[in-house]
Amino acid sequence: MVMEQAVDRRAFVKLVGLSAGGIALSGGAVVAGLVGRRRVGAQEANKVVLAYSDYPDVAIANLADLKDGEPVFFDYPQAGQRNMLVKLGQGRTAEEGVGPGSDVVAYSAFCAHMGAPLDTVYNHEHAVLGPCPLHFSTFDLAKSGILVMGKATQPLPQVVLAVDAAGAITATGMYGLIYGWPANLITLDGGN
Ligand code: FES
Protein backbone atom coordinates (compact mmCIF):
# COMPACT_ATOMS: atom_id res chain seq x y z
CA MET A 1 0.00 0.00 0.00
CA VAL A 2 1.43 3.35 -0.97
CA MET A 3 0.92 6.20 1.49
CA GLU A 4 2.14 9.68 2.17
CA GLN A 5 2.74 11.44 5.46
CA ALA A 6 5.10 13.69 7.34
CA VAL A 7 7.80 11.62 8.95
CA ASP A 8 10.53 11.83 11.52
CA ARG A 9 13.93 10.19 11.09
CA ARG A 10 12.74 6.82 12.37
CA ALA A 11 9.96 6.69 9.83
CA PHE A 12 12.55 6.95 7.07
CA VAL A 13 12.86 3.20 7.37
CA LYS A 14 9.64 2.96 5.49
CA LEU A 15 11.09 4.80 2.55
CA VAL A 16 11.00 2.56 -0.49
CA GLY A 17 14.46 2.93 -1.87
CA LEU A 18 14.02 6.50 -2.98
CA SER A 19 17.27 7.74 -4.36
CA ALA A 20 18.57 11.20 -3.61
CA GLY A 21 17.33 12.20 -7.03
CA GLY A 22 13.81 11.29 -6.01
CA ILE A 23 13.66 14.08 -3.44
CA ALA A 24 12.93 17.59 -4.58
CA LEU A 25 12.54 20.93 -2.89
CA SER A 26 9.13 22.50 -3.15
CA GLY A 27 7.99 25.64 -1.36
CA GLY A 28 10.62 25.30 1.32
CA ALA A 29 9.64 21.75 2.22
CA VAL A 30 11.17 18.54 1.03
CA VAL A 31 8.78 16.50 -1.07
CA ALA A 32 9.34 13.05 -2.42
CA GLY A 33 7.12 10.65 -4.24
CA LEU A 34 7.12 7.01 -5.12
CA VAL A 35 4.23 7.33 -7.50
CA GLY A 36 4.08 11.09 -7.83
CA ARG A 37 4.57 14.28 -5.91
CA ARG A 38 2.21 16.56 -4.10
CA ARG A 39 2.65 20.01 -2.65
CA VAL A 40 2.51 20.26 1.10
CA GLY A 41 0.14 22.63 2.86
CA ALA A 42 1.27 25.53 4.98
CA GLN A 43 0.82 23.49 8.13
CA GLU A 44 3.36 21.01 6.80
CA ALA A 45 6.04 23.54 5.92
CA ASN A 46 9.55 22.44 6.82
CA LYS A 47 8.51 18.84 7.39
CA VAL A 48 9.79 15.99 5.31
CA VAL A 49 6.97 14.44 3.31
CA LEU A 50 7.53 11.09 1.72
CA ALA A 51 5.63 8.56 -0.27
CA TYR A 52 6.37 5.14 1.09
CA SER A 53 5.25 1.57 1.29
CA ASP A 54 5.38 -0.60 4.36
CA TYR A 55 8.22 -3.04 4.61
CA PRO A 56 7.32 -6.46 5.93
CA ASP A 57 8.41 -7.56 9.40
CA VAL A 58 10.45 -10.73 8.95
CA ALA A 59 11.99 -12.83 11.75
CA ILE A 60 15.59 -13.59 10.86
CA ALA A 61 17.40 -14.95 13.92
CA ASN A 62 17.60 -14.96 17.69
CA LEU A 63 20.24 -13.19 19.75
CA ALA A 64 21.03 -16.47 21.48
CA ASP A 65 22.12 -18.01 18.17
CA LEU A 66 24.60 -15.28 17.23
CA LYS A 67 28.31 -15.56 17.85
CA ASP A 68 30.64 -12.60 17.63
CA GLY A 69 31.95 -12.19 14.11
CA GLU A 70 30.00 -15.07 12.56
CA PRO A 71 27.69 -13.66 9.87
CA VAL A 72 24.21 -14.98 9.19
CA PHE A 73 22.80 -14.39 5.71
CA PHE A 74 19.16 -13.80 4.85
CA ASP A 75 17.05 -12.34 2.05
CA TYR A 76 15.11 -9.13 2.75
CA PRO A 77 12.78 -7.52 1.87
CA GLN A 78 12.38 -9.77 -1.15
CA ALA A 79 13.79 -13.10 -2.22
CA GLY A 80 17.15 -12.53 -3.85
CA GLN A 81 17.95 -9.37 -1.86
CA ARG A 82 20.72 -10.82 0.23
CA ASN A 83 21.85 -9.33 3.53
CA MET A 84 24.34 -10.09 6.25
CA LEU A 85 23.49 -10.07 9.98
CA VAL A 86 26.44 -9.94 12.34
CA LYS A 87 27.28 -9.30 15.99
CA LEU A 88 30.27 -6.98 15.98
CA GLY A 89 31.27 -7.72 19.57
CA GLN A 90 34.64 -6.50 20.89
CA GLY A 91 32.89 -3.86 22.98
CA ARG A 92 31.75 -1.99 19.87
CA THR A 93 28.51 -0.03 19.76
CA ALA A 94 26.99 0.33 16.32
CA GLU A 95 24.72 3.02 14.97
CA GLU A 96 21.27 1.45 14.71
CA GLY A 97 22.70 -1.62 16.43
CA VAL A 98 20.37 -3.81 18.50
CA GLY A 99 20.81 -6.25 21.34
CA PRO A 100 22.20 -5.66 24.85
CA GLY A 101 25.43 -4.23 23.45
CA SER A 102 23.82 -2.39 20.52
CA ASP A 103 26.27 -4.26 18.34
CA VAL A 104 24.03 -6.45 16.18
CA VAL A 105 23.63 -5.02 12.70
CA ALA A 106 22.58 -6.13 9.25
CA TYR A 107 23.48 -4.78 5.83
CA SER A 108 22.91 -5.54 2.18
CA ALA A 109 25.44 -8.01 0.86
CA PHE A 110 25.42 -6.26 -2.53
CA CYS A 111 28.12 -3.65 -2.87
CA ALA A 112 26.71 -0.12 -3.11
CA HIS A 113 28.99 0.60 -6.08
CA MET A 114 28.05 -2.01 -8.69
CA GLY A 115 26.45 -4.78 -6.73
CA ALA A 116 29.32 -7.22 -6.32
CA PRO A 117 28.71 -9.88 -3.64
CA LEU A 118 30.26 -9.04 -0.27
CA ASP A 119 29.47 -12.37 1.39
CA THR A 120 33.07 -13.41 1.97
CA VAL A 121 34.79 -10.15 2.86
CA TYR A 122 33.60 -9.38 6.41
CA ASN A 123 36.57 -8.22 8.50
CA HIS A 124 35.72 -8.81 12.13
CA GLU A 125 38.82 -7.17 13.54
CA HIS A 126 37.89 -3.82 12.02
CA ALA A 127 34.11 -4.34 11.85
CA VAL A 128 34.04 -3.53 8.15
CA LEU A 129 32.60 -5.22 5.09
CA GLY A 130 35.18 -5.23 2.34
CA PRO A 131 37.27 -4.71 0.42
CA CYS A 132 34.82 -5.49 -2.34
CA PRO A 133 36.25 -8.06 -4.78
CA LEU A 134 35.68 -5.74 -7.75
CA HIS A 135 36.83 -2.24 -6.83
CA PHE A 136 37.79 -2.47 -3.15
CA SER A 137 34.96 -0.50 -1.57
CA THR A 138 34.91 -1.08 2.18
CA PHE A 139 32.06 -0.13 4.51
CA ASP A 140 32.10 0.57 8.25
CA LEU A 141 29.43 -1.60 9.88
CA ALA A 142 29.53 0.31 13.17
CA LYS A 143 28.82 3.61 11.44
CA SER A 144 25.76 3.03 9.29
CA GLY A 145 27.73 1.47 6.45
CA ILE A 146 29.68 4.61 5.62
CA LEU A 147 32.36 4.21 2.97
CA VAL A 148 35.88 3.73 4.34
CA MET A 149 37.58 3.44 0.96
CA GLY A 150 36.86 2.46 -2.64
CA LYS A 151 34.70 3.59 -5.53
CA ALA A 152 31.23 3.51 -4.00
CA THR A 153 29.57 6.87 -3.50
CA GLN A 154 26.80 5.68 -1.16
CA PRO A 155 26.81 3.95 2.20
CA LEU A 156 25.96 0.29 2.27
CA PRO A 157 22.17 -0.11 2.73
CA GLN A 158 21.39 -1.05 6.33
CA VAL A 159 18.57 -3.31 7.45
CA VAL A 160 16.52 -1.88 10.31
CA LEU A 161 16.27 -4.41 13.11
CA ALA A 162 14.06 -4.86 16.14
CA VAL A 163 14.49 -7.29 19.05
CA ASP A 164 11.74 -8.57 21.33
CA ALA A 165 11.96 -9.70 24.95
CA ALA A 166 12.72 -13.27 23.86
CA GLY A 167 15.67 -12.13 21.76
CA ALA A 168 13.98 -12.67 18.42
CA ILE A 169 15.51 -10.38 15.79
CA THR A 170 13.15 -9.01 13.16
CA ALA A 171 13.93 -7.07 10.01
CA THR A 172 11.50 -4.17 9.79
CA GLY A 173 12.81 -1.92 7.05
CA MET A 174 15.83 -0.71 5.19
CA TYR A 175 17.87 2.46 4.97
CA GLY A 176 19.05 3.12 1.45
CA LEU A 177 18.49 1.70 -1.99
CA ILE A 178 19.67 -1.86 -2.62
CA TYR A 179 21.95 -1.99 -5.64
CA GLY A 180 20.14 -3.17 -8.76
CA TRP A 181 16.60 -2.30 -7.68
CA PRO A 182 14.75 0.87 -8.70
CA ALA A 183 12.98 0.61 -5.33
CA ASN A 184 13.55 -2.00 -2.67
CA LEU A 185 10.00 -3.35 -2.69
CA ILE A 186 9.41 -3.30 -6.44
CA THR A 187 10.29 -6.48 -8.24
CA LEU A 188 12.56 -6.30 -11.23
CA ASP A 189 9.78 -7.46 -13.54
CA GLY A 190 7.77 -4.38 -12.61
CA GLY A 191 5.42 -6.03 -10.12
CA ASN A 192 4.78 -4.72 -6.62
S1 FES B 1 31.27 -3.33 -7.12
FE1 FES B 1 32.13 -3.06 -5.15
S2 FES B 1 33.56 -1.47 -5.40
FE2 FES B 1 32.75 -1.75 -7.37
Side-chain angles (χ1 to χ4, degrees):
M1 179 175 63
V2 176
M3 303 175 66
E4 288 191 350
Q5 71 173 52
V7 297
D8 58 20
R9 171 175 160 73
R10 192 68 187 172
F12 257 75
V13 303
K14 299 302 182 186
L15 177 62
V16 183
L18 287 170
S19 66
I23 299 176
L25 290 173
S26 176
V30 179
V31 181
L34 177 64
V35 293
R37 295 174 180 164
R38 69 181 174 86
R39 288 192 173 276
V40 295
Q43 76 281 6
E44 294 177 303
N46 299 319
K47 288 184 179 179
V48 175
V49 178
L50 302 170
Y52 72 93
S53 293
D54 281 331
Y55 280 90
D57 291 346
V58 176
I60 53 176
N62 190 288
L63 288 175
D65 299 328
L66 297 181
K67 294 184 174 64
D68 288 8
E70 294 189 12
V72 173
F73 292 90
F74 63 100
D75 286 0
Y76 184 83
Q78 301 183 77
Q81 293 170 324
R82 191 165 166 80
N83 304 280
M84 187 190 86
L85 173 76
V86 69
K87 186 176 189 299
L88 300 180
Q90 304 181 91
R92 287 190 165 91
T93 298
E95 293 182 18
E96 306 295 337
V98 298
S102 299
D103 64 340
V104 176
V105 291
Y107 288 87
S108 173
F110 300 149
C111 180
H113 179 225
M114 294 179 68
L118 301 175
D119 305 42
T120 62
V121 293
Y122 171 59
N123 181 318
H124 185 54
E125 179 183 1
H126 298 292
V128 297
L129 196 53
C132 173
L134 289 191
H135 314 102
F136 311 114
S137 287
T138 301
F139 305 91
D140 190 332
L141 302 190
K143 296 180 179 173
S144 302
I146 194 171
L147 185 71
V148 174
M149 69 173 190
K151 286 190 170 184
T153 57
Q154 307 266 356
L156 196 60
Q158 183 171 11
V159 181
V160 183
L161 302 175
V163 178
D164 69 13
I169 305 170
T170 302
T172 65
M174 199 132 196
Y175 292 114
L177 180 62
I178 300 169
Y179 184 87
W181 272 262
N184 293 342
L185 295 179
I186 294 177
T187 56
L188 295 180
D189 63 6
N192 198 349

